[in-house]
Amino acid sequence: MGSFLICVPVESSSPLVMNSQKEVLRCFTVLACCSPDRLLAFLLPRLDTSNERLRVGTLQILRHIINSAAAQMEAKQPFILSSMRLPLLDTNDKVKRAVVQVISAMAHHGYLEQPGGEVMVEYIVQQCALPAEEPEKPGPDGEDLAADSVRAVSIRTLYLVSTTVDRMNSVLWPYLLEFLTPVRFTAALTPLCRSLVHLALKRQEAGADDFLIQYNANANLPSPFAMTTRLLVVSSNPYLGDGRGAASLRLLKVMHQNIHPFLGQRWETTMPMLLEYLDEHTEESLSLKEWEEKLLMFLRDTLAVVSDNIWICQLSQEMCKQLPSYSGTPQEKNFLYKCIGTTLGAASSKEVVRKHLRELLETARYQEEAEQEGLACCFGICAITHLEDTLAQLEDFVRSDVFRKSTGIFSIFKDRSEHEVERMKSCLILCYGHVAAQAPRELVLARVESDILRSMFQCFNTKVLGIKVETKDPALKLCLVQSLCMVSQAMCSSAQASSFHFLRKTELVTQMMEFIRAEPPDCLRTPIRKKAMLACTYLVNLEPALEEQTQADVVHSCLHSVMALPPEAEGGDGVGREPLYLDTVCALEDLLTRLLRQNMTPQGLQIMVEHLSPWIKSPRGHERARALGLGACLLEFFQEHLLVSTLVPFHNLGLLVGLFAPRCADTWTTTRQKAVGCVYSLLYLQLGYEGFSRDHRDDVAERLLTLQDGLVNADPTILFHTCHSIAQVIAKRLPSDQLISLLLTVFESLGDPDKNCSRAATVMINCLLKERGNVLLEKVPEIVSVLRAKLRDTQEEHVLPAAQHSVYLLASQHCEAVVSSLLGSPLPFDSHTCALWRALAVEPGLTAQVLELLLEKMSKDVPFKESRAFLLGSTADRVATLLPLAATCALYEVLSAPSSGTVVLELYPQLFAALLLRVSCTVGVQLPRNLQAKERRSTSPARAARNLDPCREGYPQQMGHQIPPYTNSSAVDALQALLLRSGSQDMLRCVELERGWELLKTSAGHEDGVAQLASSMAKYAGPRLPPVTKALACTQNSVYEIQRVTSTAFLAELLSSNVVNDLMLLEPLLDNLTARLKDSSASVRRLVLRGLANMASGSPDKVRAHGPQLLTAMVSGLDDGDEPHSPVALEAMVGLSRLLDLVEPWDLRLVLLHTTIRIRPFFDSEKVEFRTASIRLFGHLNKACHGDCEDVFLEQVVGGLVPLLLHLRDPQVPVASACKFALCMCVPHLECAELAAAFYKYLQEGRSVHFGEFLNSTCKHLMHHFPDLLGRLVSTNLFYFKSSWDDVRAAAPMFTGFLVLHAEPEQKTQVDLEQLIVALQLLLKDPVPGVREKAAETLGRLVKFA
């Protein structure tokens, strides 16, 4: 047991233990010197044990005795080497480390020179090839063992043996070269190359014979072609394996004589440059693409130096042979393909080229994407010098049966799946793309359409039953797009591109658009979008030019494919965005700028920006940010490439600025700042078009850059203040002719889904209107129209106040134009238009202008037009004209604004008079037919703020006819608003209580309504009467009868109030009214008489002084016109009845007889009001003429006695009552006390009359006191035998019968009995029994005269 323990290594690091170990090892040295055989017999069997600690300890002792007893062990070397067989197979790291240390000791003492020494060298190389990331656990004492890993120890050992042990040179050289090409030793390439470089240099120093390798004598050594290929390929990824690129290149440089004798001098120049390039970079900074290009250039240069077709063909063959070795390293295999292409390109043997190309197509691993790319690159590079052969091999392969699933020409193609065939097609399409990209341009153009594109689409499209079916495989699509991109780029870069007419251009562009549209809109997984857009970028440069619609479709599709992507496509919050997304955006930018380049005009820029417009206004923030980014890119490109040969206007500057400016308040900070940048670029573009140089700096425009910093703060107050400042900058730099387009574009932003931008638009609009509104006179109608439309379409609360302020600012500068424009708004005004009208009442000065203009507009046009219905003879309808109607509605809105109060008081007389007359002109006037339809349809409050026609005339709906809509409601509403705003609430309520407002709206009650209005003004607003009466007096000569009627009615009613005396208005009113006695309108004349008669109520004490004037007017009224029942005459009779008691008797005497005679015919008028008025006036005349005029009037009393008595039976109570009054007033003139007593007894007011008894008594007294009147009274009664009233017709024969009854026989001669009998006999046939009865009674009484 003790003998085993002595071989176990110590595990303590204490000095005592370590000293003990050293002493033990000295003991083994002594034993080795005196008994080597017995010692080896003891140690070597322990190497075969499975105990790891025992094996490690034994190996340590063996290493010690090899070093310390070299002479004694020399003879035992073969025996010791053979005993290492099992330790070499141990996988334990500690054992491996111990074995390497033993081999190192062996190398120093010649062991490796013995047969079997190569195994030890190979073991070291194997350990050098261990993975560099080999995990190492901490040691027992916690020390880091990474530096003592097996690989690290092996690398150090190999290098140490190669550089310090001279006797090993012959062992290692050229043996180590065998480890260069096997793939399993790839990880050991760096230490191998370093060792080989050192060994080669030693050999070179020794002489050329020692350095040159005898490949024939060393069959296992790699050939120069294999070595060159291997070292070049592994250099393509230079920083792997501890920098194997530099190590490989150094070895390659050293081996130049063994590779080819011509390369030494050339590589002395080119190789250091490659090594220097690697030294200048790191793994992170090195561009693999550039590095590969340098290596390929180095290879091309090498092949050119060699210039030996056989050597080149052998190299290409070796490269093809090594391809399978790199299946596990796609990048290196890809590079090897490029090397093959480069080598074949240098070969002059077309047979070799075709053979290798065919073999490559047949043996390629199409399932691997990297290999597809490598093979395609190979074909492309080869096509540089062998275009015809390359295309021929591809064509033959495409025509072969390799695309079929189960059969093929070659055994390798049997049982291919559909997926494999698709991969092959993808690779072939890529090959064509690379061929087009690499081949000489002058040769490619001739083959593009006839060969390259045809073959590409032959691979891409599949035919099923003879029908072309497009593939759905995304990888195949991607290859086609990528290849088309390369083909397009190749065509564009050709010197003959400008004259080349590419017939399939539109077809290819359409195909790219289909691919783009087929991509999923919610994710970005493949670079198809990017590649397709790049292809289009190159294609658009070729002739023929794309049609305008096709170009628009391209832009629309490409924008939608990128803009609509979710924000995740660019990384969270736009930070760390995916390279694919960034590349796709760059491709889109390139395409848009390329399209813009074809039309570098303001119009071309506008077309491109208009495509961005929907995305700039998108409700999604990330889409707006992307669109602004593209917009900034386009503007920057346009500015950089702007060449202005002549001073031309930037005619769409306003439109473009208007699109970007509101985005300065976007909720996204990046969008805000990009928007300012776009405005900044546009202003400098304008300066460029004005002739300023590109490096010119404008102080005003530069201010935008300082304002841009303020947009970082998201505080709304700061944002909108900054937007106001930006608008000021724009206003200063924008040409006048661009202002309207700017405003109209910014108006569109009022409905922006981003509320910040919508508010910013309002701020900018009002700033621009304030700063530059003075030049917008001609555009006011358009601006107002757009504002109204935006208010109708936008529901945001902030838009209405802003629009009101805009209208206010415009009106402050162009009042008349704004008023005219608003008046042109459709009727009825919607709520938004009403709000705009109210905005004009904010400032008193402006309000006054607006009201005066509205008054002018209201009176400027005719208030109505007459249109006759289609039936001949029908009454003409009055239809309102639009301008006065609109002005009336506008007045209502302005007067409704509380802020208009001050101006209303100043303009009260003009406003009141105008509105009162406007009311008169709307009585009985219909709305135009189009507005009638609107009135019926209008149900939404937002659609119409106020109904134009809520009132109706008071006639019924009959026979299915609708009541026509009338227009006077708006005028009445405006008048009410005027009274309310002027503080006349009492007057307003008074008229309301008396239903005066309703009366005003109807034809029948209009005059009464006006009277109510005048009466209430006299009562509650007396001090305002003088200017109002003056204003109304000025309208007395109006051409419109209804206006004269209304003003006359108002003035006439004022005379019924005593306030006219207090205000000294009596005389002016009288003069004004009497002046209208000759008016052509009967209604005016009638109202004049009413007004004059009103003095009896308002100024009775003044009647006597104006008696002659009043009486003359009234008498002239009795004689008014030829109409038998003139309303003027009626008014004159009523007026005289009121005035008679107040005038001078002498004045009355002058007109008494004429008046009595004039009113007598009205006693029997068919119209009750005429009978009543005339009879009552007759009574008043009798009452007033007591005294001096009784003798003159007696005859009239006698003549009126019969009608008055008979009309006591009038069917109308007012007539009978008037008769009672008149009879009572007449009886004193007869001077008959008995008759007077009878009248007073029977005719008391309120008492029912027994007519027969009263008439009998009256006839008795008449015949007793006035027997001579019998004939006259009977003949007068005969006239009433034909009366139309039954009771009067019955009363006449009864009256006659009582006269005959009480008359004396001797009075018989006064009566024409024959005539009387005939009349009575006719009455006997009357249809009314009462009449026949009274006629019969009277006939019986005539016997007295027989």
Side-chain angles (χ1 to χ4, degrees):
M1 183 67 183
S3 64
F4 283 100
L5 291 175
I6 199 169
C7 294
V8 176
V10 296
E11 296 181 354
S12 174
S13 59
S14 68
L16 180 60
V17 173
M18 295 305 293
N19 289 333
S20 299
Q21 184 185 22
K22 291 176 181 179
E23 291 301 324
V24 171
L25 290 175
R26 289 193 186 99
C27 293
F28 276 107
T29 300
V30 173
L31 288 174
C33 291
C34 63
S35 301
D37 293 334
R38 293 183 62 186
L39 178 61
L40 291 176
F42 171 77
L43 290 174
L44 296 182
R46 284 160 178 75
L47 293 177
D48 297 336
T49 181
S50 60
N51 187 307
E52 169 250 331
R53 293 184 64 199
L54 184 58
R55 180 173 285 178
V56 170
T58 305
L59 287 170
Q60 288 177 353
I61 296 170
L62 184 61
R63 182 190 65 175
H64 177 73
I65 64 174
I66 289 174
N67 287 326
S68 61
Q72 288 77 10
M73 294 294 115
E74 184 174 355
K76 308 297 181 183
Q77 287 181 358
F79 182 54
I80 295 173
L81 284 172
S82 64
S83 66
M84 293 292 292
R85 181 176 54 83
L86 289 177
L88 290 178
L89 299 176
D90 200 313
T91 58
N92 183 273
D93 287 346
K94 291 182 180 180
V95 174
K96 284 184 177 182
R97 195 180 297 114
V99 170
V100 171
Q101 291 170 350
V102 169
I103 294 173
S104 177
M106 288 179 174
H108 284 80
H109 298 284
Y111 284 71
L112 302 186
E113 300 168 23
Q114 299 294 324
E118 293 88 350
V119 177
M120 300 299 153
V121 175
E122 183 178 356
Y123 182 82
I124 293 292
V125 175
Q126 285 178 348
Q127 306 316 306
C128 291
L130 290 174
E133 297 78 19
E134 181 183 17
E136 289 287 346
K137 297 182 179 178
D141 298 327
E143 70 273 12
D144 186 6
L145 298 181
D148 293 329
S149 66
V150 175
R151 184 173 185 271
V153 171
S154 301
I155 291 173
R156 289 198 299 269
T157 300
L158 179 61
Y159 186 73
L160 183 65
V161 169
S162 304
T163 57
T164 62
V165 183
D166 292 336
R167 64 191 304 170
M168 285 295 295
N169 290 346
S170 59
V171 176
L172 298 178
W173 182 268
Y175 177 64
L176 286 182
L177 291 174
E178 295 182 13
F179 301 105
L180 288 179
T181 54
V183 176
R184 66 180 184 275
F185 297 119
T186 300
L189 279 175
T190 301
L192 276 173
C193 290
R194 288 174 182 170
S195 296
L196 284 168
V197 168
H198 186 78
L199 293 170
L201 290 174
K202 283 185 178 181
R203 288 285 175 170
Q204 284 181 357
E205 294 173 2
D209 293 337
D210 290 337
F211 177 64
L212 289 176
I213 301 172
Q214 300 301 321
Y215 292 102
N216 295 332
N218 297 275
N220 294 329
L221 289 178
S223 68
F225 311 107
M227 189 188 315
T228 302
T229 301
R230 176 64 167 166
L231 293 177
L232 195 59
V233 171
V234 297
S235 299
S236 65
N237 209 337
Y239 296 106
L240 285 181
D242 301 325
R244 70 187 183 199
S248 298
L249 291 175
R250 287 189 177 96
L251 177 59
L252 198 60
K253 177 176 177 291
V254 171
M255 296 293 292
H256 65 86
Q257 291 182 6
N258 287 295
I259 295 174
H260 196 280
F262 293 172
L263 295 176
Q265 185 177 356
R266 187 63 176 173
W267 281 8
E268 286 293 334
T269 304
T270 56
M271 196 69 76
M273 296 172 62
L274 293 175
L275 295 171
E276 183 181 352
Y277 186 81
L278 289 178
D279 291 338
E280 292 173 354
H281 290 82
T282 63
E283 186 173 4
E284 291 75 19
S285 65
L286 182 73
S287 169
L288 284 179
K289 183 177 180 181
E290 293 180 7
W291 174 243
E292 285 186 359
E293 188 56 42
K294 286 183 177 295
L295 290 177
L296 292 175
M297 191 180 300
F298 168 75
L299 176 58
R300 279 192 292 270
D301 184 66
T302 298
L303 296 172
V305 171
V306 172
S307 190
D308 181 353
N309 185 60
I310 296 175
W311 190 91
I312 293 173
C313 290
Q314 287 178 326
L315 178 61
S316 64
Q317 185 174 359
E318 179 60 34
M319 287 180 171
C320 293
K321 182 180 176 182
Q322 287 193 20
L323 273 174
S325 302
Y326 295 95
S327 297
T329 53
Q331 185 266 331
E332 292 176 354
K333 191 170 187 179
N334 187 303
F335 178 71
L336 179 53
Y337 269 116
K338 295 177 183 177
C339 293
I340 294 172
T342 304
T343 306
L344 290 176
S348 59
S349 173
K350 294 185 178 294
E351 281 189 25
V352 173
V353 171
R354 293 195 195 101
K355 174 179 176 293
H356 284 313
L357 290 178
R358 183 168 61 252
E359 289 176 354
L360 290 173
L361 289 172
E362 293 171 359
T363 59
R365 298 164 63 93
Y366 293 101
Q367 301 302 319
E368 298 176 6
E369 184 177 342
E371 184 148 351
Q372 290 182 22
E373 183 68 25
L375 181 61
C377 290
C378 173
F379 272 75
I381 296 171
C382 183
I384 297 175
T385 53
H386 301 293
L387 176 61
E388 296 296 334
D389 295 319
T390 305
L391 288 177
Q393 289 304 311
L394 287 171
E395 180 75 13
D396 291 343
F397 195 73
V398 169
R399 289 177 178 175
S400 67
D401 293 335
V402 296
F403 297 141
R404 298 181 181 177
K405 289 186 181 180
S406 300
T407 62
I409 301 174
F410 306 100
S411 60
I412 194 172
F413 299 126
K414 291 182 179 179
D415 300 324
R416 289 188 182 274
S417 68
E418 184 176 354
H419 181 71
E420 289 175 318
V421 174
E422 295 294 313
R423 298 284 73 76
M424 291 175 62
K425 290 180 178 181
S426 300
C427 183
L428 289 172
I429 290 173
L430 271 182
C431 288
Y432 278 109
H434 280 274
V435 167
Q438 298 286 349
R441 300 292 182 256
E442 63 276 7
L443 300 178
V444 168
L445 285 182
R447 307 294 294 271
V448 163
E449 292 185 282
S450 61
D451 294 325
I452 298 176
L453 289 176
R454 177 183 57 79
S455 299
M456 286 170 59
F457 279 98
Q458 184 178 342
C459 293
F460 181 72
N461 295 319
T462 304
K463 285 190 176 181
V464 178
L465 300 178
I467 301 173
K468 186 175 71 173
V469 179
E470 185 177 308
T471 181
K472 301 297 182 182
D473 182 10
L476 185 56
K477 280 186 181 180
L478 181 58
C479 289
L480 177 64
V481 172
Q482 185 174 344
S483 295
L484 288 175
C485 184
M486 289 187 282
V487 172
S488 305
Q489 186 176 6
M491 288 189 288
C492 289
S493 59
S494 172
Q496 293 84 28
S498 59
S499 59
F500 179 65
H501 197 78
F502 187 33
L503 298 177
R504 300 188 67 174
K505 173 180 175 177
T506 304
E507 175 192 346
L508 293 185
V509 170
T510 304
Q511 182 74 66
M512 294 301 99
M513 291 305 103
E514 290 178 2
F515 286 165
I516 288 175
R517 285 191 284 267
E519 285 294 284
D522 57 346
C523 61
L524 182 64
R525 296 194 182 98
T526 68
I528 287 180
R529 287 180 177 90
K530 178 189 76 171
K531 297 292 184 181
M533 285 188 280
L534 286 176
C536 291
T537 302
Y538 295 117
L539 285 170
V540 293
N541 283 334
L542 300 173
E543 293 294 334
L546 290 176
E547 294 181 359
E548 186 175 335
Q549 184 58 47
T550 304
Q551 184 171 317
D553 292 341
V554 168
V555 177
H556 178 268
S557 298
C558 292
L559 282 175
H560 189 271
S561 72
V562 177
M563 294 297 180
L565 288 172
E568 293 77 14
E570 54 184 79
D573 300 327
V575 180
R577 296 187 288 182
E578 293 184 3
L580 178 57
Y581 169 77
L582 294 176
D583 292 344
T584 306
V585 171
C586 289
L588 178 58
E589 290 176 352
D590 291 342
L591 174 59
L592 296 181
T593 52
R594 189 65 60 90
L595 289 170
L596 177 60
R597 186 66 178 268
Q598 295 186 333
N599 188 6
M600 285 290 291
T601 65
Q603 183 63 30
L605 179 61
Q606 178 181 337
I607 290 172
M608 297 306 297
V609 173
E610 282 179 346
H611 284 296
L612 288 174
S613 180
W615 304 102
I616 291 174
K617 299 176 182 179
S618 169
R620 290 168 286 278
H622 65 279
E623 292 179 358
R624 297 195 301 272
R626 292 170 182 171
L628 263 295
L630 287 174
C633 174
L634 289 172
L635 291 173
E636 182 180 351
F637 178 86
F638 194 85
Q639 189 175 0
E640 289 176 357
H641 296 82
L642 179 65
L643 293 174
V644 182
S645 56
T646 58
L647 296 182
V648 294
F650 191 7
H651 63 85
N652 45 17
L653 173 66
L655 186 150
L656 297 174
V657 171
L659 182 62
F660 290 110
R663 303 256 75 83
C664 294
D666 197 278
T667 49
W668 284 44
T669 304
T670 54
T671 304
R672 295 197 294 269
Q673 295 185 321
K674 286 178 182 176
V676 177
C678 290
V679 174
Y680 176 83
S681 298
L682 285 168
L683 294 184
Y684 270 103
L685 282 176
Q686 170 62 26
L687 291 171
Y689 276 103
E690 291 176 358
F692 288 93
S693 62
R694 189 171 297 171
D695 57 355
H696 170 73
R697 285 291 160 259
D698 181 78
D699 293 339
V700 176
E702 288 298 313
R703 188 169 171 235
L704 288 175
L705 296 180
T706 60
L707 293 172
Q708 194 174 26
D709 298 334
L711 295 176
V712 177
N713 195 319
D715 181 87
T717 305
I718 298 175
L719 273 184
F720 298 138
H721 178 74
T722 305
C723 288
H724 184 272
S725 301
I726 292 171
Q728 288 179 320
V729 172
I730 295 171
K732 290 179 181 178
R733 277 290 165 262
L734 198 74
S736 298
D737 60 337
Q738 294 295 303
L739 187 58
I740 184 61
S741 62
L742 169 61
L743 284 171
L744 294 179
T745 308
V746 178
F747 279 140
E748 294 298 319
S749 297
L750 292 177
D752 198 281
D754 189 319
K755 292 185 179 180
N756 269 14
C757 294
S758 178
R759 290 190 173 93
T762 63
V763 171
M764 290 182 167
I765 288 169
N766 289 330
C767 177
L768 291 169
L769 290 177
K770 183 178 180 181
E771 298 287 336
R772 299 288 298 279
N774 58 313
V775 300
L776 293 172
L777 176 59
E778 295 180 358
K779 301 297 182 180
V780 167
E782 188 174 2
I783 294 174
V784 172
S785 176
V786 172
L787 268 176
R788 288 183 52 259
K790 283 298 159 188
L791 287 174
R792 184 174 60 251
D793 299 338
T794 306
Q795 304 299 324
E796 298 295 337
E797 295 180 358
H798 65 274
V799 175
L800 179 57
Q804 288 179 302
H805 189 59
S806 298
V807 169
Y808 163 74
L809 291 173
L810 265 181
S812 300
Q813 300 166 84
H814 310 292
C815 184
E816 184 173 0
V818 171
V819 168
S820 298
S821 300
L822 286 175
L823 286 176
S825 304
L827 290 173
F829 292 151
D830 57 29
S831 60
H832 301 125
T833 306
C834 296
L836 295 182
W837 277 114
R838 290 193 292 273
L840 301 182
V842 174
E843 192 270 323
L846 177 61
T847 306
Q849 292 182 59
V850 172
L851 289 175
E852 289 170 355
L853 282 170
L854 288 176
L855 291 177
E856 179 187 348
K857 301 287 184 185
M858 193 169 65
S859 60
K860 184 177 182 180
D861 197 4
V862 294
F864 52 79
K865 293 181 179 178
E866 293 188 347
S867 63
R868 191 173 299 277
F870 63 92
L871 293 176
L872 294 177
S874 61
T875 305
D877 293 329
R878 288 182 173 180
V879 179
T881 51
L882 291 179
L883 181 60
L885 181 59
T888 306
C889 296
L891 273 172
Y892 169 81
E893 300 302 336
V894 177
L895 294 173
S896 298
S899 54
S900 65
T902 305
V903 180
V904 166
L905 293 176
E906 295 175 2
L907 299 177
Y908 184 86
Q910 300 95 304
L911 289 169
F912 183 86
L915 287 173
L916 181 59
L917 296 183
R918 175 61 190 165
V919 171
S920 68
C921 289
T922 58
V923 174
V925 177
Q926 298 181 17
L927 289 170
R929 290 189 180 276
N930 62 323
L931 292 185
Q932 293 181 30
K934 283 187 179 181
E935 285 288 285
R936 287 190 292 269
R937 291 196 305 265
S938 179
T939 56
S940 170
R943 173 73 184 138
R946 298 176 54 252
N947 197 327
L948 285 177
D949 177 47
C951 66
R952 297 289 185 269
E953 286 279 3
Y955 54 87
Q957 289 181 276
Q958 294 177 348
M959 296 181 295
H961 293 95
Q962 295 290 327
I963 297 175
Y966 288 83
T967 64
N968 54 2
S969 175
S970 57
V972 172
D973 291 346
L975 186 58
Q976 290 175 334
L978 171 68
L979 297 180
L980 183 64
R981 197 58 57 219
S982 64
S984 302
Q985 288 86 347
D986 292 339
M987 178 179 170
L988 193 66
R989 276 193 297 271
C990 178
V991 178
E992 180 66 32
L993 290 174
E994 298 294 331
R995 297 185 66 252
W997 299 118
E998 294 300 320
L999 292 173
L1000 272 176
K1001 300 175 185 178
T1002 62
S1003 299
H1006 179 70
E1007 292 176 8
D1008 294 336
V1010 173
Q1012 291 287 351
L1013 192 61
S1015 175
S1016 62
M1017 179 172 280
K1019 183 176 182 180
Y1020 296 106
R1024 292 180 178 161
L1025 281 176
V1028 170
T1029 56
K1030 183 177 180 181
L1032 285 173
C1034 296
T1035 65
Q1036 288 290 79
N1037 294 319
S1038 171
V1039 296
Y1040 301 107
E1041 176 187 353
I1042 186 62
Q1043 290 187 345
R1044 300 199 304 276
V1045 168
T1046 299
S1047 59
T1048 304
F1050 188 88
L1051 297 177
E1053 183 61 25
L1054 292 180
L1055 285 173
S1056 64
S1057 173
N1058 189 49
V1059 74
V1060 297
N1061 291 315
D1062 300 335
L1063 298 173
M1064 295 182 291
L1065 292 175
L1066 180 61
E1067 297 295 335
L1069 286 174
L1070 285 176
D1071 293 343
N1072 182 279
L1073 290 176
T1074 53
R1076 306 311 308 165
L1077 283 171
K1078 300 299 182 181
D1079 195 284
S1080 59
S1081 170
S1083 297
V1084 173
R1085 299 194 299 272
R1086 172 175 56 79
L1087 290 169
V1088 168
L1089 296 179
R1090 180 181 297 177
L1092 295 176
N1094 281 342
M1095 282 189 64
S1097 303
S1099 307
D1101 54 329
K1102 305 292 184 179
V1103 173
R1104 190 176 296 273
H1106 297 86
Q1109 180 184 9
L1110 298 175
L1111 290 175
T1112 301
M1114 297 299 168
V1115 172
S1116 67
L1118 292 174
D1119 300 327
D1120 186 82
D1122 299 326
E1123 187 181 349
H1125 293 90
S1126 169
V1128 180
L1130 176 63
E1131 196 66 52
M1133 290 187 288
V1134 174
L1136 277 171
S1137 298
R1138 298 173 62 191
L1139 292 171
L1140 286 179
D1141 292 341
L1142 302 174
V1143 298
E1144 289 283 358
W1146 174 253
D1147 295 333
L1148 178 61
R1149 186 180 180 87
L1150 296 177
V1151 298
L1152 182 63
L1153 184 60
H1154 176 78
T1155 302
T1156 305
I1157 294 172
R1158 183 66 185 84
I1159 67 173
R1160 177 63 183 80
F1162 295 121
F1163 285 7
D1164 301 307
S1165 171
E1166 291 295 328
K1167 296 186 177 182
V1168 61
E1169 59 271 17
F1170 278 85
R1171 298 200 301 277
T1172 303
S1174 59
I1175 292 171
R1176 190 166 290 281
L1177 175 58
F1178 186 75
H1180 282 289
L1181 288 171
N1182 277 280
K1183 179 181 178 182
C1185 70
H1186 292 165
D1188 297 338
C1189 57
E1190 290 183 4
D1191 54 339
V1192 179
F1193 202 67
L1194 180 60
E1195 179 64 22
Q1196 300 302 320
V1197 171
V1198 172
L1201 194 59
V1202 173
L1204 293 177
L1205 288 170
L1206 292 178
H1207 276 291
L1208 285 173
R1209 299 293 291 166
D1210 195 283
Q1212 298 296 329
V1213 174
V1215 177
S1217 176
C1219 289
K1220 289 182 181 180
F1221 169 73
L1223 288 171
C1224 290
M1225 295 299 105
C1226 291
V1227 72
H1229 293 286
L1230 296 176
E1231 296 180 351
C1232 176
E1234 293 87 348
L1235 188 61
F1239 276 23
Y1240 293 146
K1241 174 182 177 182
Y1242 289 102
L1243 300 179
Q1244 292 181 14
E1245 192 66 36
R1247 178 180 175 181
S1248 59
V1249 179
H1250 189 288
F1251 185 70
E1253 182 181 337
F1254 166 69
L1255 192 58
N1256 183 35
S1257 175
T1258 299
C1259 290
K1260 174 182 175 181
H1261 294 302
L1262 284 173
M1263 290 299 95
H1264 178 71
H1265 293 284
F1266 307 103
D1268 296 337
L1269 294 178
L1270 176 62
R1272 184 174 178 180
L1273 294 175
V1274 170
S1275 61
T1276 305
N1277 269 299
L1278 284 174
F1279 172 78
Y1280 289 97
F1281 279 16
K1282 300 178 180 181
S1283 174
S1284 58
W1285 298 292
D1286 296 345
D1287 289 342
V1288 174
R1289 202 164 61 250
M1294 182 170 59
F1295 193 173
T1296 303
F1298 284 136
L1299 286 174
V1300 171
L1301 176 64
H1302 296 292
E1304 297 296 330
E1306 56 269 20
Q1307 303 297 330
K1308 172 183 176 182
T1309 56
Q1310 297 183 39
V1311 180
D1312 185 347
L1313 286 177
E1314 183 179 352
Q1315 180 185 12
L1316 179 59
I1317 291 170
V1318 171
L1320 288 172
Q1321 287 175 343
L1322 288 174
L1323 286 179
L1324 291 175
K1325 300 176 181 180
D1326 195 277
V1328 179
V1331 175
R1332 296 197 298 271
E1333 180 185 348
K1334 299 302 179 184
E1337 290 179 359
T1338 302
L1339 280 173
R1341 292 191 175 104
L1342 286 179
V1343 177
K1344 181 179 180 179
F1345 288 157

